[in-house]
Amino acid sequence: MALKDFRELRLDSMSREFGSLNALKGITLTVARGEFIALLGPSGCGKSTALNCLAGLMPLSSGSIWLDDKRVDTLGPEERGFGMVFQNYALFPHMNVAKNIGFGLRMQRRPKDEIDRRVAEAIRLVRLGAQSEKLPGQISGGQQQRVAIARAIVVEPPLVLMDEPLSNLDAKLRLEMRAEIRRIHSSLGCATIYVTHDQDEALSLADRIVVLRDGEMRQVGTPAELYSRPADPNVAEFMGFRNVLPTTASFEGGLSVTLGPAVLAATAVDVTVPGPAVLAIRPEDLTPRPGGSIRAVVQMAEYRGRDFYGLAVTDAGTELYFRAEARVTPGETLFLGADAPRVLVYKS
Amino acid sequence: MSLRASLARQGLDGVTLLVLPAALFIVALFIYPFLYGLVLSFEPKVGGWLANYAKFFSEPFLYTTISKTLLIAIPVTVLNVALSVPVALRVRLIAKPKLLTTILVIPITLGTVLVAEGMLNYMGPRGWFNRALLEFGLSSSPIRLIHNYWGVFLSLVITGFPFTFLLTLSYVTGVDPGLEQAGAMLGARSWDRFRTILLPLLVPGILITFCLSFVQAFSVFPSALLLGEPAGSTRVISIAAYTAAFEEYDASMASAIAMIMAAVQVAIVVALLAAQSLVYRGPAGGGKG
């Protein structure tokens, strides 16, 4: 499929207000053709607002959107030519699968044989062969999802917007469709902007992740960057650092932080020493070990197949999420520790 | 297996008895009078058992009432439905339609007689409407809008439109707005979105609305009498039935006319609902949400 030629999509301090609420505060971002961007954030962070503004379903309060040197935020949704996959799919219930997929091409008044050829191609791409005559109500959620994707991409849009497209699927199907979406994106070469609140989804799909919180961009980076070095404690918490705790940082031959009586060697992300700070550790990096400096009593532990995940409490009453290779039981006393590169320190 | 258990398997148990009051109500107030009227219509004052029906279809003064009534009811219903669809499409975008809905419900609650009285005063030869037309030189002689076909037509639009509109609005708001957004994202402009998405999903609702509005308009009586010319162009079928019952004291003939009236309504409604089976009838929402 040949794509409409473009080099980049540029968001220039895109903002949106609802009355006095700033749902989106000056989003500035450049997306290259072929890139897969995930907009990641908790609910209410403005990620769906951002997507609706990009789609043209919601006007901007200020700022602009550019496709190379063409300004698009002043155009209606029908003039932008972007593809969109809705959270509830929004398939036309009275049209069969092939008619749904061909809708965009019919609106472009393409000749019938071209429509048929391209619809067949799209149906093949999303592997829906036998379903083309069925109505949306007659196929499964996963198949509806594929129809929604095929319908959005068959018009070869420069940009595909996806609004939590996997949130209505069960866990197994979600993993399958995740791989499918990545495969389809690679075979098309369009830019994709994908909204999700699921960090695993964002990490596995995206070339770059944009973390939104309270309508602001908190961090933009590759999945590896976000995973290993979140820019602030909020992002860290969202990226799976469940242990985010106040601490005191000091420098004695190396950065260290205290947790009650315990002292941990740590890695600075953004901190001034000595002084109060915030430390962040993933549960999987906090393990019982010989010489572990944090004394804590297990409150509960759950079996996860290869290992155990649990909650322990220090003498000072601090709750810590940890991982253990061997079985631990509630009431047991552990000596927990973490490797210095896995203990991140931020200024408080 | 006990009788109770086997009934329960069919979904019948003690709770089922609660349907009895409603069933009795329907039998006593609807089915019995209907059957009574049906039997009565076959017991004419003079002649064989079909004499009433034979008389109706042989006297132009009687059988033309069918076409006269249809000539009022069908255009009125078409106009009401045609008006209510675009209005409903606009109103669904209003955040607080309560005031508008209230204003529209008022004509329904006031009833046809009050509306007819109002029109007699307002649109009569010496009413404000014609006086204003003459005063501003928009017309050289009063326009006749009462005591003819148009008087009945107008009053049925005034009293019928709110009903048609409220029904249509409920169908229009039942269509998932996400579908129109999806259409827009795929390049459909507003007319294309209406033609290809909204209209096909609304057709079943519009047909039902048409049937109910039509039945209301077809049984027009007070406005045909008060605002029309009950001896001429607006001698509708209900007037014929009234005349038979209360001027000729022929309850049997009146019953026969009522039965014919019912048959015409049923024929049209059945034809419309049969047409419905030709179009999509599923949910107007998108997939599983």
Side-chain angles (χ1 to χ4, degrees), chain A residues 300-342:
Chain A
M300 60 104 178
E302 56 186 45
Y303 181 54
R304 293 274 183 88
R306 289 174 70 101
D307 40 23
F308 293 82
Y309 277 74
L311 175 67
V313 179
T314 65
D315 296 337
T318 307
E319 294 190 332
L320 294 170
Y321 294 92
F322 69 95
R323 178 178 71 89
E325 303 257 325
R327 177 176 292 278
V328 290
T329 47
E332 194 179 335
T333 300
L334 299 177
F335 291 90
L336 298 169
D339 299 338
R342 304 294 195 173

CSV table of all heavy atoms in Angstrom, one decimal, chain A residues 300-342:
chain,number,residue,atom,x,y,z
A,300,MET,N,2.0,-10.4,53.5
A,300,MET,CA,1.3,-11.4,52.6
A,300,MET,C,2.2,-11.7,51.4
A,300,MET,O,3.1,-10.9,51.1
A,300,MET,CB,-0.1,-10.9,52.2
A,300,MET,CG,-0.1,-9.6,51.4
A,300,MET,SD,-0.4,-10.0,49.7
A,300,MET,CE,-0.4,-8.5,48.9
A,301,ALA,N,2.0,-12.8,50.8
A,301,ALA,CA,2.8,-13.2,49.7
A,301,ALA,C,1.9,-14.0,48.7
A,301,ALA,O,1.1,-14.7,49.1
A,301,ALA,CB,4.0,-14.0,50.1
A,302,GLU,N,2.1,-13.7,47.4
A,302,GLU,CA,1.3,-14.5,46.4
A,302,GLU,C,2.2,-15.1,45.4
A,302,GLU,O,3.2,-14.6,45.0
A,302,GLU,CB,0.2,-13.6,45.7
A,302,GLU,CG,0.7,-12.4,45.0
A,302,GLU,CD,-0.4,-11.5,44.5
A,302,GLU,OE1,-1.4,-11.3,45.3
A,302,GLU,OE2,-0.3,-11.1,43.4
A,303,TYR,N,1.8,-16.3,45.0
A,303,TYR,CA,2.6,-17.2,44.2
A,303,TYR,C,2.3,-16.7,42.7
A,303,TYR,O,1.2,-16.5,42.3
A,303,TYR,CB,2.1,-18.6,44.3
A,303,TYR,CG,2.8,-19.6,43.5
A,303,TYR,CD1,4.2,-19.7,43.5
A,303,TYR,CD2,2.1,-20.5,42.7
A,303,TYR,CE1,4.9,-20.6,42.8
A,303,TYR,CE2,2.8,-21.4,41.9
A,303,TYR,CZ,4.1,-21.5,41.9
A,303,TYR,OH,4.8,-22.4,41.2
A,304,ARG,N,3.4,-16.5,42.0
A,304,ARG,CA,3.3,-16.0,40.6
A,304,ARG,C,3.9,-17.0,39.6
A,304,ARG,O,4.4,-16.6,38.5
A,304,ARG,CB,3.9,-14.7,40.4
A,304,ARG,CG,3.3,-13.5,41.2
A,304,ARG,CD,2.2,-12.9,40.3
A,304,ARG,NE,1.6,-11.8,41.0
A,304,ARG,CZ,2.0,-10.5,40.9
A,304,ARG,NH1,3.1,-10.3,40.2
A,304,ARG,NH2,1.4,-9.6,41.6
A,305,GLY,N,4.0,-18.3,39.9
A,305,GLY,CA,4.6,-19.2,39.0
A,305,GLY,C,6.0,-19.4,39.3
A,305,GLY,O,6.4,-20.4,39.9
A,306,ARG,N,6.9,-18.5,38.7
A,306,ARG,CA,8.3,-18.7,38.9
A,306,ARG,C,8.7,-18.2,40.3
A,306,ARG,O,9.7,-18.7,40.9
A,306,ARG,CB,9.1,-17.8,37.9
A,306,ARG,CG,9.0,-18.3,36.5
A,306,ARG,CD,9.7,-17.3,35.6
A,306,ARG,NE,11.2,-17.3,35.8
A,306,ARG,CZ,12.0,-17.9,35.1
A,306,ARG,NH1,11.6,-18.6,34.0
A,306,ARG,NH2,13.3,-17.9,35.3
A,307,ASP,N,8.0,-17.2,40.8
A,307,ASP,CA,8.5,-16.6,42.1
A,307,ASP,C,7.3,-16.1,42.9
A,307,ASP,O,6.1,-16.3,42.5
A,307,ASP,CB,9.5,-15.5,41.8
A,307,ASP,CG,9.2,-14.7,40.6
A,307,ASP,OD1,7.9,-14.7,40.3
A,307,ASP,OD2,10.0,-14.1,40.1
A,308,PHE,N,7.6,-15.4,44.0
A,308,PHE,CA,6.6,-14.9,44.9
A,308,PHE,C,6.7,-13.4,44.9
A,308,PHE,O,7.7,-12.8,44.9
A,308,PHE,CB,6.8,-15.5,46.3
A,308,PHE,CG,6.5,-17.0,46.4
A,308,PHE,CD1,7.5,-17.8,46.0
A,308,PHE,CD2,5.3,-17.5,46.8
A,308,PHE,CE1,7.3,-19.2,46.1
A,308,PHE,CE2,5.1,-18.8,46.9
A,308,PHE,CZ,6.1,-19.7,46.5
A,309,TYR,N,5.5,-12.8,44.9
A,309,TYR,CA,5.5,-11.3,45.2
A,309,TYR,C,4.7,-11.1,46.5
A,309,TYR,O,3.7,-11.7,46.7
A,309,TYR,CB,4.8,-10.6,44.0
A,309,TYR,CG,5.7,-10.4,42.8
A,309,TYR,CD1,6.1,-11.4,42.0
A,309,TYR,CD2,6.2,-9.1,42.6
A,309,TYR,CE1,6.9,-11.2,40.9
A,309,TYR,CE2,7.1,-8.9,41.5
A,309,TYR,CZ,7.4,-10.0,40.7
A,309,TYR,OH,8.3,-9.7,39.7
A,310,GLY,N,5.2,-10.1,47.3
A,310,GLY,CA,4.6,-9.9,48.6
A,310,GLY,C,4.8,-8.5,49.1
A,310,GLY,O,5.4,-7.7,48.5
A,311,LEU,N,4.2,-8.4,50.3
A,311,LEU,CA,4.2,-7.1,50.9
A,311,LEU,C,4.8,-7.3,52.3
A,311,LEU,O,4.4,-8.2,53.0
A,311,LEU,CB,2.8,-6.5,51.1
A,311,LEU,CG,2.6,-5.3,51.9
A,311,LEU,CD1,3.3,-4.1,51.2
A,311,LEU,CD2,1.1,-5.0,52.1
A,312,ALA,N,5.8,-6.5,52.6
A,312,ALA,CA,6.5,-6.6,54.0
A,312,ALA,C,6.5,-5.3,54.6
A,312,ALA,O,6.4,-4.2,54.0
A,312,ALA,CB,7.9,-7.1,53.8
A,313,VAL,N,6.6,-5.3,56.0
A,313,VAL,CA,6.5,-4.0,56.7
A,313,VAL,C,7.8,-3.9,57.6
A,313,VAL,O,8.1,-4.9,58.3
A,313,VAL,CB,5.3,-3.9,57.6
A,313,VAL,CG1,5.2,-2.6,58.4
A,313,VAL,CG2,4.0,-4.0,56.7
A,314,THR,N,8.4,-2.7,57.5
A,314,THR,CA,9.6,-2.6,58.4
A,314,THR,C,9.2,-2.3,59.8
A,314,THR,O,8.0,-2.0,60.1
A,314,THR,CB,10.5,-1.4,57.9
A,314,THR,OG1,9.7,-0.2,58.0
A,314,THR,CG2,10.8,-1.6,56.4
A,315,ASP,N,10.2,-2.2,60.7
A,315,ASP,CA,9.9,-1.9,62.1
A,315,ASP,C,9.3,-0.5,62.2
A,315,ASP,O,8.4,-0.3,63.1
A,315,ASP,CB,11.2,-1.9,62.9
A,315,ASP,CG,11.8,-3.3,62.9
A,315,ASP,OD1,11.1,-4.3,62.7
A,315,ASP,OD2,13.1,-3.4,63.1
A,316,ALA,N,9.6,0.4,61.3
A,316,ALA,CA,9.1,1.8,61.4
A,316,ALA,C,7.7,1.8,60.7
A,316,ALA,O,7.1,2.9,60.7
A,316,ALA,CB,10.0,2.7,60.7
A,317,GLY,N,7.2,0.7,60.2
A,317,GLY,CA,5.9,0.7,59.6
A,317,GLY,C,5.8,1.0,58.1
A,317,GLY,O,4.7,1.2,57.6
A,318,THR,N,7.0,1.0,57.5
A,318,THR,CA,7.0,1.3,56.0
A,318,THR,C,6.6,0.1,55.3
A,318,THR,O,7.2,-1.0,55.5
A,318,THR,CB,8.4,1.8,55.6
A,318,THR,OG1,8.8,2.9,56.5
A,318,THR,CG2,8.4,2.3,54.2
A,319,GLU,N,5.7,0.2,54.3
A,319,GLU,CA,5.3,-0.9,53.5
A,319,GLU,C,6.1,-1.1,52.3
A,319,GLU,O,6.4,-0.1,51.6
A,319,GLU,CB,3.8,-0.8,53.1
A,319,GLU,CG,2.8,-0.8,54.3
A,319,GLU,CD,1.4,-0.9,53.8
A,319,GLU,OE1,1.1,-0.4,52.7
A,319,GLU,OE2,0.6,-1.5,54.5
A,320,LEU,N,6.6,-2.3,52.0
A,320,LEU,CA,7.5,-2.5,50.9
A,320,LEU,C,7.0,-3.7,50.1
A,320,LEU,O,6.6,-4.7,50.6
A,320,LEU,CB,8.9,-2.8,51.4
A,320,LEU,CG,9.7,-1.7,52.1
A,320,LEU,CD1,11.0,-2.3,52.7
A,320,LEU,CD2,10.0,-0.6,51.1
A,321,TYR,N,6.9,-3.5,48.7
A,321,TYR,CA,6.5,-4.6,47.8
A,321,TYR,C,7.8,-5.2,47.4
A,321,TYR,O,8.8,-4.6,46.9
A,321,TYR,CB,5.7,-4.1,46.7
A,321,TYR,CG,4.4,-3.5,47.1
A,321,TYR,CD1,4.2,-2.2,47.4
A,321,TYR,CD2,3.3,-4.3,47.2
A,321,TYR,CE1,3.0,-1.7,47.8
A,321,TYR,CE2,2.1,-3.9,47.6
A,321,TYR,CZ,1.9,-2.5,47.9
A,321,TYR,OH,0.7,-2.0,48.3
A,322,PHE,N,7.9,-6.6,47.5
A,322,PHE,CA,9.2,-7.3,47.2
A,322,PHE,C,8.9,-8.5,46.3
A,322,PHE,O,7.7,-8.9,46.2
A,322,PHE,CB,9.9,-7.6,48.4
A,322,PHE,CG,9.2,-8.7,49.2
A,322,PHE,CD1,9.5,-10.0,49.1
A,322,PHE,CD2,8.1,-8.4,50.1
A,322,PHE,CE1,8.9,-11.0,49.8
A,322,PHE,CE2,7.5,-9.3,50.8
A,322,PHE,CZ,7.8,-10.7,50.7
A,323,ARG,N,10.0,-9.1,45.8
A,323,ARG,CA,9.9,-10.4,45.1
A,323,ARG,C,10.8,-11.4,45.9
A,323,ARG,O,11.8,-11.0,46.4
A,323,ARG,CB,10.4,-10.2,43.7
A,323,ARG,CG,10.4,-11.5,42.9
A,323,ARG,CD,10.8,-11.1,41.4
A,323,ARG,NE,12.3,-10.8,41.4
A,323,ARG,CZ,13.2,-11.7,41.3
A,323,ARG,NH1,12.9,-13.0,41.1
A,323,ARG,NH2,14.5,-11.4,41.2
A,324,ALA,N,10.4,-12.6,45.9
A,324,ALA,CA,11.3,-13.7,46.5
A,324,ALA,C,11.3,-14.9,45.6
A,324,ALA,O,10.3,-15.2,45.0
A,324,ALA,CB,10.7,-14.0,47.9
A,325,GLU,N,12.5,-15.5,45.5
A,325,GLU,CA,12.6,-16.7,44.6
A,325,GLU,C,12.0,-17.9,45.3
A,325,GLU,O,11.4,-18.7,44.6
A,325,GLU,CB,14.1,-17.0,44.3
A,325,GLU,CG,14.8,-15.8,43.7
A,325,GLU,CD,15.0,-16.0,42.2
A,325,GLU,OE1,15.2,-17.2,41.9
A,325,GLU,OE2,15.0,-15.1,41.5
A,326,ALA,N,12.2,-17.9,46.6
A,326,ALA,CA,11.7,-19.1,47.4
A,326,ALA,C,10.4,-18.7,48.1
A,326,ALA,O,10.1,-17.5,48.3
A,326,ALA,CB,12.7,-19.6,48.3
A,327,ARG,N,9.7,-19.7,48.6
A,327,ARG,CA,8.4,-19.5,49.3
A,327,ARG,C,8.7,-18.7,50.5
A,327,ARG,O,9.6,-18.9,51.3
A,327,ARG,CB,7.7,-20.8,49.6
A,327,ARG,CG,6.4,-20.6,50.4
A,327,ARG,CD,5.8,-21.9,50.6
A,327,ARG,NE,5.2,-22.5,49.4
A,327,ARG,CZ,4.1,-22.1,48.9
A,327,ARG,NH1,3.3,-21.2,49.4
A,327,ARG,NH2,3.6,-22.7,47.8
A,328,VAL,N,7.9,-17.6,50.7
A,328,VAL,CA,7.9,-16.9,52.0
A,328,VAL,C,6.5,-17.0,52.6
A,328,VAL,O,5.5,-17.1,51.9
A,328,VAL,CB,8.3,-15.4,51.8
A,328,VAL,CG1,9.8,-15.3,51.4
A,328,VAL,CG2,7.4,-14.8,50.8
A,329,THR,N,6.5,-16.9,54.0
A,329,THR,CA,5.2,-17.0,54.6
A,329,THR,C,5.0,-15.8,55.5
A,329,THR,O,5.9,-15.2,56.0
A,329,THR,CB,5.1,-18.3,55.5
A,329,THR,OG1,6.3,-18.3,56.3
A,329,THR,CG2,5.0,-19.5,54.7
A,330,PRO,N,3.7,-15.4,55.7
A,330,PRO,CA,3.4,-14.2,56.5
A,330,PRO,C,4.0,-14.4,57.9
A,330,PRO,O,3.9,-15.5,58.4
A,330,PRO,CB,1.9,-14.2,56.5
A,330,PRO,CG,1.5,-14.8,55.2
A,330,PRO,CD,2.5,-15.9,55.0
A,331,GLY,N,4.6,-13.4,58.5
A,331,GLY,CA,5.1,-13.5,59.8
A,331,GLY,C,6.6,-13.7,59.8
A,331,GLY,O,7.3,-13.4,60.8
A,332,GLU,N,7.1,-14.1,58.6
A,332,GLU,CA,8.6,-14.4,58.5
A,332,GLU,C,9.3,-13.1,58.4
A,332,GLU,O,8.8,-12.1,57.9
A,332,GLU,CB,8.7,-15.2,57.2
A,332,GLU,CG,10.1,-15.8,57.0
A,332,GLU,CD,10.1,-16.6,55.6
A,332,GLU,OE1,9.1,-17.0,55.1
A,332,GLU,OE2,11.3,-16.7,55.1
A,333,THR,N,10.5,-13.0,59.0
A,333,THR,CA,11.4,-11.8,58.9
A,333,THR,C,12.4,-12.0,57.8
A,333,THR,O,13.0,-13.0,57.7
A,333,THR,CB,12.1,-11.6,60.2
A,333,THR,OG1,11.1,-11.4,61.3
A,333,THR,CG2,12.9,-10.3,60.2
A,334,LEU,N,12.4,-10.9,56.9
A,334,LEU,CA,13.3,-11.0,55.8
A,334,LEU,C,14.4,-9.9,55.9
A,334,LEU,O,14.1,-8.8,56.5
A,334,LEU,CB,12.6,-10.8,54.5
A,334,LEU,CG,11.5,-11.9,54.1
A,334,LEU,CD1,10.8,-11.5,52.8
A,334,LEU,CD2,12.1,-13.2,54.0
A,335,PHE,N,15.5,-10.1,55.2
A,335,PHE,CA,16.5,-9.0,55.1
A,335,PHE,C,16.5,-8.6,53.6
A,335,PHE,O,17.1,-9.4,52.8
A,335,PHE,CB,17.8,-9.4,55.6
A,335,PHE,CG,17.8,-9.5,57.1
A,335,PHE,CD1,17.4,-10.7,57.8
A,335,PHE,CD2,18.0,-8.4,57.9
A,335,PHE,CE1,17.3,-10.8,59.1
A,335,PHE,CE2,17.9,-8.4,59.3
A,335,PHE,CZ,17.6,-9.6,59.9
A,336,LEU,N,15.9,-7.5,53.2
A,336,LEU,CA,15.7,-7.1,51.8
A,336,LEU,C,16.8,-6.2,51.4
A,336,LEU,O,17.3,-5.4,52.1
A,336,LEU,CB,14.4,-6.5,51.6
A,336,LEU,CG,13.1,-7.3,51.9
A,336,LEU,CD1,11.9,-6.4,51.9
A,336,LEU,CD2,13.0,-8.4,50.9
A,337,GLY,N,17.1,-6.3,50.1
A,337,GLY,CA,18.1,-5.4,49.5
A,337,GLY,C,17.9,-5.2,48.0
A,337,GLY,O,17.1,-6.0,47.4
A,338,ALA,N,18.5,-4.2,47.4
A,338,ALA,CA,18.4,-4.0,46.0
A,338,ALA,C,19.8,-3.5,45.5
A,338,ALA,O,20.5,-2.9,46.2
A,338,ALA,CB,17.3,-3.0,45.7
A,339,ASP,N,20.1,-3.9,44.2
A,339,ASP,CA,21.3,-3.4,43.6
A,339,ASP,C,21.3,-1.9,43.4
A,339,ASP,O,20.2,-1.4,43.0
A,339,ASP,CB,21.5,-4.1,42.2
A,339,ASP,CG,21.6,-5.6,42.4
A,339,ASP,OD1,21.9,-6.1,43.6
A,339,ASP,OD2,21.3,-6.4,41.4
A,340,ALA,N,22.4,-1.3,43.5
A,340,ALA,CA,22.5,0.2,43.4
A,340,ALA,C,21.9,0.8,42.1
A,340,ALA,O,21.1,1.8,42.2
A,340,ALA,CB,23.9,0.7,43.6
A,341,PRO,N,22.1,0.1,40.9
A,341,PRO,CA,21.5,0.7,39.7
A,341,PRO,C,20.0,0.7,39.7
A,341,PRO,O,19.3,1.3,38.9
A,341,PRO,CB,22.1,-0.2,38.6
A,341,PRO,CG,23.2,-0.9,39.2
A,341,PRO,CD,23.0,-1.0,40.7
A,342,ARG,N,19.4,-0.2,40.6
A,342,ARG,CA,17.9,-0.4,40.6
A,342,ARG,C,17.3,0.5,41.6
A,342,ARG,O,16.1,0.5,41.8
A,342,ARG,CB,17.6,-1.8,40.9
A,342,ARG,CG,18.2,-2.8,39.9
A,342,ARG,CD,17.7,-2.6,38.6
A,342,ARG,NE,18.0,-3.8,37.7
A,342,ARG,CZ,17.6,-4.0,36.5
A,342,ARG,NH1,16.8,-3.1,36.0
A,342,ARG,NH2,17.9,-5.0,35.8
